[in-house]
Amino acid sequence: AQKVTQAQTEISVVEKEDVTLDCVYETRDTTYYLFWYKQPPSGELVFLIRRNSFDEQNEISGRYSWNFQKSTSSFNFTITASQVVDSAVYFCALSTLYNQGGKLIFGQGTELSVKP
Amino acid sequence: DAGVTQSPTHLIKTRGQQVTLRCSPKSGHDTVSWYQQALGQGPQFIFQYYEEEERQRGNFPDRFSGHQFPNYSSELNVNALLLGDSALYLCASSRQGYNEQFFGPGTRLTVL
């Protein structure tokens, strides 16, 4: 079975703090994809990143960085110098079908609140 | 370049009624997936359409059905509505062979 666990339900930080959102996944497939999406209050899910199971390189995009570790089945997301606009619900997701844009299995989400 | 669009934005129905939700994919996309997101939960996959056929289905009853049109737009139909069907329904589009799914703003369905 495939599963994504985001143990942190809510996180509250003060602006400019760094924050890490945890994601642990389960799958028996050797080929899979991991995603992070941001859901602001408007409701639309905004794609942030995709990582495939064969690429364990960490990635940095501006204030965002992702740490993928197959040994611990984790794909954590760090926001450096958080801003109020980062306040949203963040979802980690897993896809185990390639070439077909396979279904996404989402975690429960982590609600991030960044206070000024 | 328009993104994924959904209509209507909000909908209120009563138990037992039927509802149809609509989705237009992002330009260049040919695959449409539907998700149900209950309050405080992550989205749950309902089904996916490609080439006008249902290709994958999640753990949802037959009351949930769909359709894809030749222009790749899609409809989600829910019959015999239950209170538990109240949720945000999200449509996502993608291109065959590519894994990224792009989501629309969703339709908020309330069943009274």
Side-chain angles (χ1 to χ4, degrees):
Chain A
Q2 291 87 37
K3 185 179 178 182
V4 175
T5 302
Q6 295 178 255
Q8 305 150 308
T9 305
E10 297 178 15
I11 299 177
S12 182
V13 299
V14 176
E15 207 169 20
K16 297 184 183 178
E17 284 186 19
D18 299 346
V19 58
T20 295
L21 310 182
D22 298 332
C23 172
V24 174
Y25 63 92
E26 296 175 30
T27 180
R28 292 182 181 176
D29 290 85
T30 55
T31 301
Y32 54 90
Y33 288 79
L34 296 164
F35 303 78
W36 276 95
Y37 283 86
K38 173 182 180 179
Q39 188 174 44
S42 62
E44 184 169 343
L45 283 165
V46 178
F47 169 80
L48 296 178
I49 190 172
R50 179 195 76 170
R51 174 64 71 202
N52 73 54
S53 54
F54 299 108
D55 183 2
E56 285 193 72
Q57 281 191 341
N58 292 333
E59 181 156 340
I60 298 175
S61 176
R63 297 185 296 107
Y64 295 169
S65 62
W66 291 269
N67 183 294
F68 176 31
Q69 292 194 333
K70 287 178 75 171
S71 60
T72 56
S73 296
S74 66
F75 186 44
N76 297 337
F77 172 31
T78 297
I79 302 175
T80 302
S82 60
Q83 299 176 3
V84 172
V85 293
D86 295 327
S87 297
V89 181
Y90 290 86
F91 289 96
C92 180
L94 168 70
S95 174
T96 58
L97 283 175
Y98 182 58
N99 282 334
Q100 294 180 355
K103 77 173 187 179
L104 293 171
I105 299 158
F106 285 87
Q108 294 283 75
T110 297
E111 183 172 4
L112 174 65
S113 176
V114 182
K115 301 186 186 309
Chain B
D1 178 23
V4 180
T5 60
Q6 292 186 243
S7 63
T9 305
H10 295 88
L11 206 50
I12 299 176
K13 292 285 188 179
T14 57
R15 280 179 298 175
Q17 287 189 310
Q18 179 264 343
V19 67
T20 297
L21 310 182
R22 295 176 176 82
C23 171
S24 291
K26 187 177 168 65
S27 178
H29 287 187
D30 54 13
T31 303
V32 173
S33 302
W34 287 91
Y35 293 81
Q36 180 195 66
Q37 186 179 16
L39 199 61
Q41 304 293 316
Q44 299 290 317
F45 176 79
I46 302 175
F47 43 52
Q48 184 179 83
Y49 277 84
Y50 172 65
E51 292 188 335
E52 302 180 48
E53 291 189 357
E54 183 183 290
R55 193 167 59 185
Q56 295 183 64
R57 188 178 184 92
N59 189 25
F60 279 81
D62 292 344
R63 298 187 298 108
F64 289 77
S65 63
H67 189 76
Q68 185 179 36
F69 300 94
N71 67 352
Y72 307 119
S73 67
S74 177
E75 288 182 349
L76 164 65
N77 301 293
V78 187
N79 294 323
L81 284 167
L82 303 174
L83 294 179
D85 294 332
S86 295
L88 179 67
Y89 288 84
L90 294 162
C91 169
S93 74
S94 56
R95 211 167 94 190
Q96 182 60 220
Y98 292 83
N99 225 315
E100 289 88 353
Q101 293 185 29
F102 293 86
F103 284 80
T107 294
R108 173 76 60 188
L109 172 64
T110 301
V111 182
L112 302 176

